[in-house]
Amino acid sequence: MCGMPQQPPVRSSAPRPSRPDASMSLLTNVMDHSLDDGYAEAAARKKAEDDGGMPKTVRAKLGLAAGLVLAALVVTVGAANARIAAPVVAKERQELIDRIEHETTAADKLESSVDTLRADVSARQREALKKSGGGEQADLVSILSGATDVHGPGVKLVVNDAKEASTGGDGDPRETSGFSDTGRVRDRDMQRVVNGLWESGAEAIAINGQRLTALSAIRAAGDAILVDNKPLVPPYTVLAVGDGKRLSTRFQNSADGLYLHALQDNFGIRTGISVEDDVRLSAAPSVIVRTAQPSTEKGTS
């Protein structure tokens, strides 16, 4: 079968659209509508709210200015109050100083009066003893009761805490549970020292200047050692009047001397004893006897 001859395809002479123009149109559309509609609405709403009030920068500046004004006001008021209160504080301080000085002066006068009365009492006691038993007996009783100053040969015994007891830290014996058995000198230690000296032949004893009598008490109040209610601080210097060499030897060989030596070896308590040519002890406060009464009854044969 014969057919019509095929004709070549017809080519259009019209120009095709340019691809770069389409790309530019797409980019322009993306730039013009970069935000989603929801974001755009939110941004518009926030802008409307901001436009309805004070501009943000101005509000911040006003807030800063208000804060500075308030701070300046507080400082000014504080300075003014300080200037007003300064004379009052100075006056109160001076009044307190004057009161302390006045009370100190009064205490010194009372102490002087006590010393005068003590000397008067001692003199009256000696006078009474002279009438009843003679002068020598009166002097002996005064010495034994601690009512008069004494001096003579004797010993000097110094007892001090261990070095660790004053340096602090983890090794401080004061911080340990067995506080009473560590490097701190206790009241019971001084009791044994004094009793050992009496037993070894001491005729008069004083600790840190506090004269001991038959009614003296050595005890503790917290961490302090008290002698007749007066606190002492280490080192504890014990002065004893007696036969120096014999007193030193007998004490060191006694049970109480060995006890003190054991404290030195086991807990580091520092001790030292020396023989003195002349030991001087001041008189003790007057001994007030409230219970004992002299017996007037004669013994029956």
Side-chain angles (χ1 to χ4, degrees):
M1 177 186 290
C2 295
M4 293 297 292
Q6 296 181 354
Q7 296 180 354
V10 179
R11 299 181 180 275
S12 176
S13 61
R16 294 182 179 182
S18 175
R19 292 184 180 275
D21 293 340
S23 299
M24 290 299 295
S25 177
L26 179 61
L27 290 174
T28 302
N29 185 39
V30 170
M31 293 179 64
D32 293 341
H33 304 282
S34 58
L35 293 177
D36 184 79
D37 293 340
Y39 288 107
E41 292 178 2
R45 187 166 52 252
K46 187 174 185 301
K47 182 178 180 182
E49 292 176 355
D50 292 341
D51 291 342
M54 189 178 296
K56 185 176 180 181
T57 55
V58 175
R59 183 166 52 191
K61 291 179 179 179
L62 290 177
L64 179 60
L68 292 175
V69 171
L70 180 60
L73 180 62
V74 170
V75 172
T76 302
V77 172
N81 291 335
R83 286 195 299 269
I84 295 173
V88 178
V89 173
K91 182 179 178 181
E92 292 178 351
R93 180 175 181 274
Q94 187 61 44
E95 289 178 353
L96 181 59
I97 293 175
D98 294 340
R99 183 178 177 184
I100 292 174
E101 292 177 350
H102 179 269
E103 296 298 333
T104 301
T105 303
D108 292 340
K109 290 181 179 179
L110 290 175
E111 186 174 357
S112 177
S113 176
V114 168
D115 292 338
T116 302
L117 293 174
R118 182 181 299 155
D120 182 60
V121 169
S122 298
R124 291 176 181 271
Q125 288 176 344
R126 288 192 296 270
E127 189 67 25
L129 287 171
K130 287 179 181 179
K131 292 180 179 180
S132 60
E136 293 183 358
Q137 184 179 358
D139 293 339
L140 177 60
V141 172
S142 297
I143 292 175
L144 295 179
S145 64
T148 186
D149 298 349
V150 296
H151 74 94
V155 297
K156 177 181 178 181
L157 175 62
V158 180
V159 184
N160 199 359
D161 293 343
K163 291 183 179 180
E164 293 78 5
S166 58
T167 56
D170 296 335
D172 189 350
R174 301 173 186 176
E175 302 297 331
T176 61
S177 58
F179 179 79
S180 60
D181 295 325
T182 55
R184 186 84 179 271
V185 178
R186 310 299 295 173
D187 57 327
R188 67 187 187 193
D189 302 330
M190 297 308 300
Q191 290 172 2
R192 295 200 60 165
V193 167
V194 170
N195 290 335
L197 288 171
W198 285 126
E199 186 179 358
S200 300
E203 300 173 1
I205 300 176
I207 304 177
N208 285 15
Q210 297 296 321
R211 180 77 173 273
L212 302 182
T213 69
L215 300 180
S216 294
I218 301 175
R219 61 185 184 87
D223 294 339
I225 297 178
L226 306 182
V227 174
D228 293 335
N229 294 324
K230 294 184 178 180
L232 306 180
V233 294
Y236 306 102
T237 302
V238 183
L239 297 177
V241 175
D243 187 341
K245 292 182 179 180
R246 183 182 179 187
L247 179 59
S248 176
T249 302
R250 292 185 63 179
F251 173 75
Q252 294 184 69
N253 293 332
S254 67
D256 297 311
L258 295 176
Y259 168 82
L260 190 61
H261 186 70
L263 291 181
Q264 183 177 4
D265 290 342
N266 295 326
F267 305 111
I269 287 179
R270 293 167 286 177
T271 65
I273 188 169
S274 60
V275 177
E276 302 292 328
D277 294 332
D278 189 25
V279 175
R280 295 184 176 272
L281 306 182
S282 300
S286 298
V287 178
I288 300 176
V289 180
R290 296 184 175 88
T291 305
Q293 297 293 331
S295 177
T296 58
E297 297 180 0
K298 297 181 180 180
T300 58
S301 55

